[in-house]
Amino acid sequence: MGSLARWARAEWGPLYGTVRGPLLRPRPRAMPMTAVAVALTALLQFVQNRPWGFRLVQNLGAVRAEDPLWLGLLRTPLSLFVPALDLPVWGALAQILFVFGIAELCLGWWRTLVIAYLATLAGTLYARLGITLGAHAPFGLPWTDAQVVDTGPSAAVVGLAVFVAWRYGAYATTGAVTVAMVAEVLLKENLAGKEHLAALMAVGALCLAVAVRHGSYRLPQRRPPGSRAGPGSGLPPIQS
């Protein structure tokens, strides 16, 4: 148990220390953007399950690869918060509360939204590329996927989880999320799984760009719990 506890402190200590401070402050407004995102997702779920609201939500936040690119890009930001109709909404709400919340505490609200949008946009653009390649290409998709509605926060959640874990030195967690996404595609090959891989690749490129920008290819050194700095000597603290 002692070695397991030491491993857990080394893996999640810096992240825990960063998240714990804001949550212990007297003011309850630690995660305002996350609270708004959860409320918006719940509202969109309520509206799209009403006869008068389904078409409205589809027109505002449903993205399909068969749609014109400009229309897909216009709908993509809201699509992050439109839950998939065939999955329990509680799963989407829990993902947003947990992953978006941790990311907002660690990165700030606007960085969280930028990374979430980058991951979602990567999946959306990949769908168009995959359908162009065709089902028989290594990374291709069948033409029927062009009609699949691409909604929900899952790609954003995957991207945020990987970036935050990498930024705070939780490399085993980063690897576990990556392996889980690859296993998802191998076990059940579908559009959502491949979009998650596209989100991983986009966020991985972002991690590399951050490391290169700060002039360090070395693995970041772990910092003690409670530190607000990023995990690497070449990566400065993130100011919210």
Side-chain angles (χ1 to χ4, degrees):
M1 291 296 293
S3 60
L4 181 61
R6 284 193 297 272
W7 176 85
R9 283 195 297 269
E11 177 73 8
W12 297 309
L15 181 59
Y16 172 77
T18 302
V19 170
R20 182 173 181 269
L23 291 179
L24 292 178
R25 291 173 189 164
R27 287 187 243 175
R29 296 169 54 192
M31 303 179 297
M33 183 275 294
T34 301
V36 171
V38 170
L40 177 60
T41 303
L43 175 62
L44 290 172
Q45 171 70 5
F46 174 81
V47 172
Q48 75 174 351
N49 279 282
R50 297 296 178 272
W52 51 266
F54 175 77
R55 182 51 54 190
L56 174 65
V57 174
Q58 291 288 300
N59 289 339
L60 293 177
V63 178
R64 299 178 181 84
E66 67 178 3
D67 295 332
L69 179 59
W70 68 268
L71 183 59
L73 294 176
L74 192 63
R75 291 174 174 174
T76 295
L78 189 63
S79 74
L80 271 74
F81 308 108
V82 179
L85 289 170
D86 58 339
L87 296 174
V89 67
W90 303 112
L93 295 176
Q95 288 177 5
I96 294 173
L97 180 62
F98 185 71
V99 177
F100 274 62
I102 290 176
E104 183 176 4
L105 293 172
C106 293
L107 308 176
W109 68 268
W110 71 267
R111 289 186 182 90
T112 299
L113 285 179
V114 167
I115 295 171
Y117 180 74
L118 171 67
T120 301
L121 183 62
T124 296
L125 296 179
Y126 158 73
R128 295 173 179 273
L129 175 61
I131 290 165
T132 301
L133 293 174
H136 300 294
F139 299 100
L141 294 169
W143 66 269
T144 52
D145 281 347
Q147 300 171 343
V148 175
V149 176
D150 176 21
T151 56
S154 57
V157 165
V158 169
L160 285 170
V162 167
F163 186 86
V164 172
W166 170 81
R167 193 66 171 78
Y168 285 85
Y171 306 120
T173 304
T174 303
V177 174
T178 303
V179 170
M181 295 303 101
V182 173
E184 177 188 14
V185 172
L186 294 177
L187 294 175
K188 185 179 180 181
E189 189 173 352
N190 57 17
L191 175 61
K194 290 187 175 181
E195 285 188 340
H196 294 164
L197 291 184
L200 277 176
M201 293 177 65
V203 173
L206 176 63
C207 293
L208 179 60
V210 171
V212 170
R213 179 185 176 187
H214 296 292
S216 175
Y217 289 94
R218 295 173 298 175
L219 287 178
Q221 301 298 314
R222 297 188 187 277
R223 303 180 68 88
S227 172
R228 281 287 291 172
S233 57
L235 300 176
I238 293 180
Q239 301 297 329
S240 299

